[in-house]
């Protein structure tokens, strides 16, 4: 028995060691530095206890970053799941060129987030204003990424456009697991499409809805690349996400220990929201 398990140990051990070196160890180091005043560059630092954590709750920049990130995540999660579910229902129907449309809708997922961000930055800055002037549409004549009130709308719109691709595939996979006999029986009973959706389709894809909601929320809370490419946190700090603030403050602003504390709170927030989502949605699965 021991000899049979030896190959598994040899395959598992390197993965565990690499995970510890590149993931667990840096996290533990960050936790340690969060109790110091290290700037990330010098050789000396002092242990200051929970001072960084106390200052986090008094920092307006931290508060603005959390407000933007949470608002961004909630809006993006809702729209991504609603739109992707509608698209998946359409792609699951018997339509012409179905495979072609499936490939088209999945295309945004294989594009780099940075590339997508830079492309849309150019569109918002140059192309859309020209279209607005030529078509007489005042709303398009200005670059919304330059507005403190509207810049987040531009960022979340692009995030939704790219995010629906992956969720659509998951919903489509869930829809294909539903036996067609159920729909045939419901049609014999005279059930309409809306009734079929709420009584058959949605309950049977509830596990896919759960994982899509959790993944969409997690990815939205961790938004970074899109912010860097489109606004770099501006104008001012209007679109600065938590991840962007941690990066700029920790690696460019000499606040390594302070932002390490921010990262710990950030991790706890994401874990807490994900656990709450899972428990609530899984309980709902059993109800339906």
């Amino acid at each position: 028995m021991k000899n049979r398990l030896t190959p598994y140990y040899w395959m598992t051990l390197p993965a565990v060691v690499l995970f510890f070196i590149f993931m667990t160890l840096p996290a533990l180091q960050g936790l340690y530095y969060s109790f110091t005043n290290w700037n990330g560059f010098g050789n000396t630092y002092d242990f200051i206890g929970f001072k960084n954590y106390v200052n986090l709750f008094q920092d307006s920049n931290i508060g603005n970053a959390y407000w933007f990130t949470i608002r961004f995540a909630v809006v993006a999660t809702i729209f991504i799941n609603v739109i992707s579910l509608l698209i998946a229902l359409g792609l699951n129907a018997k339509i012409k060129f179905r495979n072609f449309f499936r490939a088209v809708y999945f295309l945004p997922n294989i594009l780099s987030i940075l590339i997508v961000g830079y492309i849309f930055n150019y569109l918002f800055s140059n192309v859309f204003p020209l279209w607005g002037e030529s078509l007489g549409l005042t709303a398009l004549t200005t670059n919304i990424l330059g507005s403190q009130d509207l810049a987040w709308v531009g960022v979340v719109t692009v995030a939704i456009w790219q995010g629906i691709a992956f969720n659509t595939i998951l919903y489509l996979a869930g829809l294909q697991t539903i036996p067609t006999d159920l729909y045939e029986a419901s049609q014999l009973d005279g059930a309409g499409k809306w009734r079929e959706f709420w009584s058959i389709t949605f309950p049977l894809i509830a596990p896919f809805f759960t994982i899509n909601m959790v993944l969409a929320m997690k990815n939205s809370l961790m938004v970074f690349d899109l912010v860097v490419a489109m606004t770099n946190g501006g104008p001012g700090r209007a679109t600065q996400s938590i991840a962007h603030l941690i990066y700029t403050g920790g690696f460019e602003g000499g606040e390594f220990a302070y932002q390490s504390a921010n990262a710990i709170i950030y991790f706890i927030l994401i874990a807490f929201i994900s656990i709450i989502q899972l428990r609530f949605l899984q309980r709902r699965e059993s109800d339906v």
Side-chain angles (χ1 to χ4, degrees):
M1 183 68 178
K2 184 177 180 181
N3 293 333
R4 290 179 58 186
L5 293 177
T6 300
Y8 295 99
Y9 289 135
W10 279 109
M11 288 188 289
T12 306
L13 186 61
V16 172
V17 172
L18 290 174
F19 184 87
F20 177 81
I21 293 175
F22 293 105
M23 299 295 293
T24 307
L25 184 59
L28 294 176
Q29 287 180 316
L31 177 63
Y32 171 77
Y33 285 129
S34 69
F35 296 104
T36 70
N37 62 354
W38 189 43
N39 60 9
F41 303 101
N43 295 323
T44 59
Y45 53 85
D46 300 317
F47 188 82
I48 60 175
F50 289 92
K51 186 176 181 180
N52 287 327
Y53 292 91
V54 174
N55 291 337
L56 285 176
F57 294 94
Q58 302 172 352
D59 192 335
S60 60
N61 292 332
I62 298 290
N64 290 335
Y66 274 82
W67 167 239
F68 165 77
T69 305
I70 293 174
R71 178 178 53 171
F72 173 93
V74 170
V75 173
T77 300
I78 293 174
F79 277 92
I80 285 174
N81 280 279
V82 171
I83 297 173
S84 60
L85 180 55
L86 292 174
I87 294 174
L89 289 171
L91 294 177
N92 194 52
K94 296 179 181 179
I95 58 175
K96 292 182 178 181
F97 308 110
R98 184 170 58 178
N99 292 334
F100 170 76
F101 286 116
R102 287 179 180 179
V104 169
Y105 280 109
F106 187 69
L107 182 62
N109 188 66
I110 64 177
L111 299 175
S112 168
I113 298 177
L114 279 174
I115 293 175
V116 169
Y118 285 124
I119 291 174
F120 274 92
N121 187 339
Y122 178 80
L123 292 176
F124 280 118
S125 303
N126 300 280
V127 179
F128 293 159
L130 291 177
W131 288 358
E133 291 178 2
S134 61
L135 297 175
L137 300 176
T138 308
L140 290 178
T141 55
T142 58
N143 178 12
I144 64 173
L145 297 181
S147 169
Q148 288 194 342
D149 296 327
L150 298 176
W152 79 277
V153 177
V155 178
V156 77
T157 300
V158 178
I160 293 169
W161 175 81
Q162 187 170 43
I164 60 176
F166 181 73
N167 285 39
T168 298
I169 296 300
L170 290 183
Y171 279 128
L172 190 58
L175 291 171
Q176 292 178 346
T177 63
I178 302 176
T180 57
D181 297 345
L182 295 177
Y183 292 111
E184 294 174 356
S186 67
Q187 291 172 3
L188 292 175
D189 292 337
K193 293 296 183 183
W194 188 249
R195 185 64 178 172
E196 281 185 355
F197 175 78
W198 284 112
S199 299
I200 299 175
T201 305
F202 196 68
L204 292 178
I205 64 168
F208 294 87
F209 178 76
T210 298
I211 193 63
N212 271 344
M213 287 290 291
V214 173
L215 289 178
M217 178 63 75
K218 179 190 74 71
N219 293 334
S220 299
L221 287 172
M222 296 174 62
V223 61
F224 174 75
D225 296 9
L226 203 59
V227 170
V228 171
M230 294 189 67
T231 62
N232 200 30
R237 293 180 180 267
T239 60
Q240 186 169 54
S241 66
I242 306 171
H244 185 265
L245 178 60
I246 292 173
Y247 174 78
T248 55
F251 292 99
E252 298 177 4
E255 301 176 341
F256 190 90
Y258 183 61
Q259 295 303 333
S260 293
N262 190 15
I264 299 299
I265 299 298
Y266 183 38
F267 168 77
I268 294 174
L269 174 67
I270 294 176
F272 175 77
I273 292 177
S274 298
I275 292 172
I276 293 298
Q277 274 188 298
L278 281 172
R279 290 199 172 185
F280 175 78
L281 293 172
Q282 286 178 344
R283 187 179 305 162
R284 182 193 157 281
E285 288 178 24
S286 60
D287 293 338
V288 296

